[in-house]
Amino acid sequence: MLQDTFGRTIDYIRVSVTKQCNFRCQYCMPETPMDFFEDENYIPLENVLAFLKVAIDEGIKKIRITGGEPLLRKDLCAFIASIHQYAPEVQIALTTNAFLLKKYAASLKDSGLGRINISLDSLQAHRVLKISKKDALGAILEGIEEAQNVGLKIKLNMVPLKGINDDEIIAMLEFAKSKGILLRYIEYMENTHAKAQLKGLQEADILNVIAQKYTFTLVEKENFGPAKLYQTQDGYAFGIIAPHNDDFCKSCNRIRLTAEGMICPCLYYQNAIDSKKAMLKGDPKEMKKVLHESVTNKPEKNQWNQEVMPEEISARAFYVTGG
Ligand code: SAM
Ligand code: SF4
């Protein structure tokens, strides 16, 4: 079992398989050139698989594949199938921008993927283009439909931004509701890679907007997840992920592995353990050692509310950690 120094059991790992992306979201990597290509430092997926087998043997029960955009990896379905074959009981999930999802949904499902989180910030084509620099709305909607058709469980993630898409908070809720999908609003997390001057809405702002049309109640915290769940009077549940608050740190059960082999214990904590050497060597004992070190390295809470220069706490790129 993996237990940190604060008594939390760690049974969830998020695995970034690439830093590259076909989008350039304003809150994530707006200034990175589209031809950015730098994958020589990536850990081969067969080594990542060997590491994940060790992690599963040590108690990992849920694996989320993320990026960058994970569907850019041509070997992704084979990777997922190998994890599933090793441990069919482990829950495998994916976070994607869904641009390529229509093409891959059926193969992903066949490989053993159970769940998909899809990032969708607007239902207006020109806004999706403005936010992500990709004319992508049509492809995303087709991807959602196909994923539902093949039986993948879906959640939608929206990052509400002032003056950009905050007038679509209710439209997104009604869209998700019409599809029978859980929508989670994610507070924009300031970071040095995002477009300057971007302003996000926080939980209270988002709830105020929804309250203009719906009555709702707080249901519960998602099981070991960072989202709080609310339910409208007519029974639709939606979530809010509010990292500016550290009360979800108490039940944090996750670590993050980057495509280059760094294990990050928390999104807003700079220290990370470099597992590259152990992973490339492929020695299970060494991989087990770095895994345990990375769990011991987990801080009690994220550093949002500490008096640290914002630049210091937010230098980590979302397209590196996988969000
Ligand atoms: N490319 C995939 C996608 O967009 O779903 C997976 C990687 S992306 C880094 C994972 C999640 O992080 C997405 O839901 C995205 O909206 C979220 N994200 C990225 N930058 C963020 C930021 N600055 N604040 C809040 N969420 C962010
Ligand atoms: Fe790409 Fe996802 Fe970052 Fe957008 S949020 S730029 S889709 S990695």
Side-chain angles (χ1 to χ4, degrees):
M1 186 161 87
L2 295 165
Q3 202 165 41
D4 75 2
T5 40
F6 303 97
R8 294 170 297 198
T9 300
I10 308 306
D11 57 9
Y12 175 19
I13 186 165
R14 297 174 65 102
V15 180
S16 171
V17 292
T18 180
K19 290 195 296 193
Q20 288 166 50
C21 190
N22 41 6
F23 285 15
R24 288 292 177 271
C25 299
Q26 293 194 20
Y27 45 71
C28 183
M29 55 189 303
E31 310 303 346
T32 312
M34 272 291 182
D35 60 1
F36 153 79
F37 194 81
E38 188 200 299
D39 61 1
E40 71 273 13
N41 290 325
Y42 291 177
I43 310 286
L45 287 186
E46 62 197 73
N47 296 64
V48 180
L49 175 65
F51 176 78
L52 289 177
K53 287 180 178 176
V54 171
I56 289 168
D57 292 347
E58 290 304 297
I60 289 293
K61 295 192 168 57
K62 177 174 173 186
I63 297 170
R64 175 171 298 280
I65 318 284
T66 176
E69 176 46 43
L71 294 182
L72 290 179
R73 293 276 321 224
K74 304 251 172 328
D75 41 2
L76 191 71
C77 289
F79 176 60
I80 290 172
S82 305
I83 304 171
H84 185 63
Q85 201 176 18
Y86 182 71
E89 72 286 1
V90 166
Q91 199 188 110
I92 311 174
L94 177 81
T95 301
T96 174
N97 62 31
F99 188 70
L100 298 170
L101 186 56
K102 185 178 180 194
K103 180 172 167 193
Y104 289 116
S107 317
L108 287 166
K109 173 77 177 157
D110 291 345
S111 308
L113 187 80
R115 294 168 183 273
I116 298 203
N117 287 0
I118 295 174
S119 307
L120 178 63
D121 295 318
S122 172
L123 293 165
Q124 298 180 27
H126 71 281
R127 283 195 181 164
V128 171
L129 174 61
K130 185 176 172 199
I131 295 167
S132 70
K133 293 207 189 116
K134 190 90 173 174
D135 188 5
L137 182 63
I140 297 171
L141 296 180
E142 285 178 9
I144 293 174
E145 202 173 311
E146 185 64 11
Q148 283 198 305
N149 286 344
V150 302
L152 286 162
K153 297 192 183 85
I154 303 178
K155 286 180 190 164
L156 287 179
N157 289 338
M158 172 193 192
V159 180
L161 299 165
K162 279 189 187 143
I164 296 180
N165 64 350
D166 53 342
D167 58 351
E168 287 190 76
I169 285 175
I170 287 183
M172 282 288 299
L173 184 142
E174 291 174 347
F175 169 76
K177 183 179 165 194
S178 74
K179 299 269 174 201
I181 298 175
L182 178 81
L183 170 67
R184 297 175 324 162
Y185 302 96
I186 306 180
E187 285 181 355
Y188 164 60
M189 294 174 239
E190 297 77 5
N191 68 92
T192 52
H193 306 269
K195 197 169 170 190
Q197 275 94 46
L198 217 52
K199 290 233 172 336
L201 274 74
Q202 297 210 354
E203 182 174 13
D205 311 317
I206 297 167
L207 292 176
N208 279 340
V209 174
I210 297 172
Q212 288 166 19
K213 185 154 178 191
Y214 292 99
T215 313
F216 53 83
T217 48
L218 176 66
V219 187
E220 56 174 349
K221 280 207 61 155
E222 232 180 51
N223 216 4
F224 292 112
K228 273 189 224 156
L229 276 190
Y230 293 86
Q231 192 168 44
T232 58
Q233 219 166 20
D234 55 356
Y236 175 69
F238 65 91
I240 300 194
I241 299 180
H244 292 88
N245 176 335
D246 62 23
D247 70 0
F248 65 61
C249 299
K250 283 195 240 56
S251 60
C252 183
N253 62 343
R254 65 198 60 192
I255 51 175
R256 294 171 164 82
L257 174 67
T258 73
E260 289 159 337
M262 298 302 288
I263 308 179
C264 308
C266 170
L267 260 188
Y268 277 87
Y269 185 69
Q270 280 306 94
N271 288 348
I273 301 285
D274 191 349
S275 67
K276 185 172 185 170
K277 223 166 106 194
M279 286 174 77
L280 290 180
K281 198 166 158 199
D283 175 3
K285 266 199 206 137
E286 283 184 36
M287 291 193 280
K288 185 171 159 180
K289 187 164 164 264
V290 286
L291 178 66
H292 280 271
E293 267 171 27
S294 70
V295 168
T296 309
N297 186 33
K298 261 185 93 61
E300 185 174 14
K301 27 174 111 156
N302 73 43
Q303 295 191 329
W304 274 114
N305 295 326
Q306 294 188 17
E307 302 225 348
V308 188
M309 291 286 289
E311 284 76 15
E312 280 180 47
I313 61 166
S314 60
R316 203 169 262 155
F318 278 76
Y319 62 91
V320 174
T321 57

